[in-house]
Every structure is written in C-alpha cells, then in structure tokens.
Amino acid sequence: MLDETILQAQLGRCLESTDLTTWATLPVLRGATRYVGKVRDNYTLDELRVIVVSDRISAFDRVLGTIPFKGQVLNQMATYWFAKTRHLVRNHFIASPDPAVTVALGCTPLPVEFVMRGYLTGVTTTSVWHHYQKGARVFCGHRLPEGMKKNEPLPEPLLTPSTKAEKGGHDESLSQEEILGRGILDEASFDAAAGLARTLFAFGQARAAERGLILVDTKYEIGRAPDGGLVVIDEIHTPDSSRYWYADDYEQRLRTGEDPRSLDKEYVRRWYAAQGYTGDGVPPPLTDEVRSEAARRYVEAYERITGQRFVPDTSDPLPRIRHHLEGFFAQHES
C-alpha cells in the first residue's frame, strides 16, 4: 500500500493535462493529431498513437478532478492485461516507455463501447439496476426475469452496447438492433467486436476469481487497425473500465441487503450519490480525503488484481514523461 507521506505529497503533483505537440524536444509529435478524452490524452501520428493516462477521474460522464497516481495505476494495469490476453485477442499495445504512457498502434475507434454485465447493479442512470428498479424488464434488447434483487447475478452475462458521448454529454445504452438500425455500425463489425468482448469478459472473470474477486461488469473499446482488423484499444479490466467486488463476503452481504465491498471507482460514484449528485448540473469538488482514499483503492486494486507490488514514481510528471518519450523516439529513430 501507499506510504501516507508520499500520498499526501502527491495530492499537489497530479498529472492533469498534457500537450505533447508543443514540446520542442519532441519534434516527431508536432504534427500529431491531439484528442483529449475524459482521462486519456491521445496523440496520433501516422500508424502510431501515444496515450498519456492522466490522473483525471471521470464518473457520470463528467471529469470530476484528479487522483494521485491514478494514471500510473491504470496504465500499468492495462499493460498487464494486454500481455495476459494477447493470446486471445489482438490489441494495440506496443510499448510503455513511462509509467503513465503507452505507445500503441494507431487505430480508428468504433463508435460503440462494448459493455459486458454479469450482475444486476449500478448507481448511474445508464446502469441496468437503475432501469430495473423503475420497472423496466428489457434492457438493451435483453429480457430480464421478475423478482431479482440488486447485486444478484444476471442469468447470463449480457452485452449492453453504448454510444460514446463527447465530454459533457451522456452515453446512451442501445440494443444491437438499434445500433444496426441507426447505421452506427454494420452487422459484421458488430458481431466480430461482440465476440472479442465476450471472450475477454469470460477470461477476466476467471482470472479475477483466482484473485478472490468478482469481475462484475466492464467496457471494452474496439478499434480498426490500419490493415482493417479489429483490435482492442485503450484499456482492459482496469478500475476505471470495470467493477470489481470482493468475493469472500459477497453472498453474506447479498443476503443482508448490503452493497458488496468494491475495488474500483464505485467508491467515488457512491460518495457523489451521497452528496445528491448523479450527473446533472455542476458536481461538488472532490475533497482531499476522498482523493486520498480513492488513490489507496486504485493501488489496492492494482496489487490485488495483478499480484504485483505497485511502485509509484513520485517525480514531477511532465519532465519525467518528456524524458522517457525523448529516449523512446531517439531509440526507434536510430
């Protein structure tokens, strides 16, 4: 776990934003196309993509602030999962020259997120539980049985695709039929991407169980590589893209009506929900106490899921990233 002194010092040294196209010592990136997502700063150059994973945290389709070491945790966990699943599905990973940076194959993202859900849960308005408790019994084209309780396993894992909203907008959960009917994606691409998502989710659930965890739900980003093939991009099974519960007391807490103990950013969502905020209007600012606790949980998630110790890099992030990328491109240009 994080040393408390290191954690408190990092509160004021989070990686909030970058613009690599302005760095004189990285002329190779001056012509890159820059896209700033909710968490990742993306730089596409020819068939390469440089992804800087910031310390920004998002929930309810909003950027809410920063969490110490979050970018390092997410990037290193994604690196772990890309390596573990490479034998199952193709992914975009090439190298990680910095704890918070990935160099990847440049791909064109599909306009749909492929969300896999194994349990009837969630606190956002796009969650399956939100719809179920309001009386809906069909979600993204899937019929749900009567009489289910919150946090129960679904009869089988469900693929519930979602549109990808711009920052400030809200994602929309859709059925396969709606996606095809609106022309968002063609049937062959949808079926192929859905197959990748189902394969990864089954593998992730099995590996999580080995670590005493339940992989509850997750989302996958799929892109099209320059050769036309479908490739998994961005991240796999991180605390940002996935919900994890502890398995040891799940059944007991389900019987007593308590929410399962979580190991993901659900802590932040629940804190906001307790403040009365669920995505509309201006969110209240994160307190340092919440930021620190979230950082501890991200690090615990990394260590519990990977079985590896997290070693934080406490150096000033922007000079560190510049140094590592200069070295990477110098090596690959020679």
Side-chain angles (χ1 to χ4, degrees):
M1 293 299 293
L2 283 175
D3 178 273
E4 192 63 25
T5 303
I6 291 175
L7 174 57
Q8 294 304 312
Q10 199 71 17
L11 285 168
R13 198 161 51 226
C14 288
L15 178 60
E16 188 165 2
S17 64
T18 65
D19 188 352
L20 308 187
T21 63
T22 65
W23 289 2
T25 55
L26 280 172
V28 68
L29 291 176
R30 285 182 191 168
T33 300
R34 177 174 177 250
Y35 171 75
V36 178
K38 292 168 186 168
V39 174
R40 288 164 177 77
D41 295 349
N42 301 270
Y43 302 86
T44 302
L45 184 70
D46 297 326
E47 294 189 359
L48 277 185
R49 183 180 176 207
V50 178
I51 305 169
V52 181
V53 189
S54 76
D55 293 326
R56 300 189 296 268
I57 186 168
S58 71
F60 308 106
D61 297 318
R62 297 283 188 273
V63 175
L64 303 170
T66 57
I67 306 296
F69 301 118
K70 177 175 176 285
Q72 295 182 41
V73 167
L74 292 186
N75 190 63
Q76 292 176 54
M77 192 179 298
T79 298
Y80 167 87
W81 281 109
F82 281 133
K84 293 296 182 184
T85 60
R86 190 176 291 276
H87 67 293
L88 294 173
V89 300
R90 183 182 177 193
N91 64 59
H92 72 164
F93 181 84
I94 295 174
S96 180
D98 178 90
V101 176
T102 286
V103 178
L105 181 67
C107 302
T108 303
L110 298 185
V112 174
E113 291 179 343
F114 288 80
V115 182
M116 293 296 302
R117 302 177 192 267
Y119 290 75
L120 185 68
T121 193
V123 299
T124 69
T125 56
T126 59
S127 72
V128 61
W129 171 246
H130 174 82
H131 289 264
Y132 191 88
Q133 69 175 338
K134 289 184 174 297
R137 293 298 179 265
V138 176
F139 185 73
C140 292
H142 303 286
R143 183 159 295 280
L144 304 174
E146 295 287 348
M148 291 192 69
K149 297 190 302 183
K150 184 182 181 184
N151 301 324
E152 277 190 326
L154 293 163
E156 62 180 359
L158 302 182
L159 174 63
T160 60
S162 171
T163 60
K164 294 190 286 189
E166 297 293 329
K167 283 191 299 183
H170 290 290
D171 298 339
E172 183 183 6
S173 297
L174 300 173
S175 67
Q176 176 179 352
E177 290 72 19
E178 289 172 316
I179 288 171
L180 299 181
R182 294 186 191 182
I184 298 173
L185 203 59
D186 65 272
E187 186 172 6
S189 296
F190 184 95
D191 288 345
L196 298 182
R198 292 189 179 100
T199 297
L200 286 173
F201 191 58
F203 181 84
Q205 285 196 308
R207 291 302 291 258
E210 294 172 3
R211 304 296 302 169
L213 297 170
I214 298 170
L215 176 58
V216 179
D217 49 42
T218 192
K219 64 180 179 180
Y220 302 105
E221 296 272 7
I222 311 292
R224 196 172 298 282
D227 64 8
L230 293 183
V231 178
V232 181
I233 62 175
D234 280 359
E235 60 184 344
I236 303 178
H237 301 160
T238 74
D240 263 19
S241 65
S242 311
R243 194 189 319 263
Y244 287 95
W245 293 336
Y246 290 93
D248 56 358
D249 60 355
Y250 163 73
E251 293 289 349
Q252 175 188 341
R253 296 175 77 92
L254 183 65
R255 286 193 300 270
T256 58
E258 297 177 89
D259 282 327
R261 290 190 300 133
S262 63
L263 193 63
D264 48 51
K265 70 175 181 181
E266 188 72 1
Y267 162 76
V268 176
R269 290 193 192 99
R270 288 176 179 170
W271 181 83
Y272 269 101
Q275 314 306 307
Y277 181 81
T278 56
D280 295 321
V282 179
L286 286 169
T287 67
D288 283 352
E289 180 181 358
V290 172
R291 294 173 67 209
S292 297
E293 178 59 23
R296 296 185 196 100
R297 290 177 182 235
Y298 271 96
V299 170
E300 183 182 358
Y302 173 86
E303 295 184 341
R304 182 70 178 259
I305 293 165
T306 69
Q308 302 169 4
R309 180 171 173 262
F310 175 72
V311 181
D313 191 322
T314 60
S315 57
D316 193 354
L318 289 177
R320 185 197 74 221
I321 289 170
R322 181 185 294 112
H323 171 73
H324 286 152
L325 282 177
E326 287 170 357
F328 175 84
F329 283 110
Q331 179 182 358
H332 285 77
E333 287 173 357
S334 60

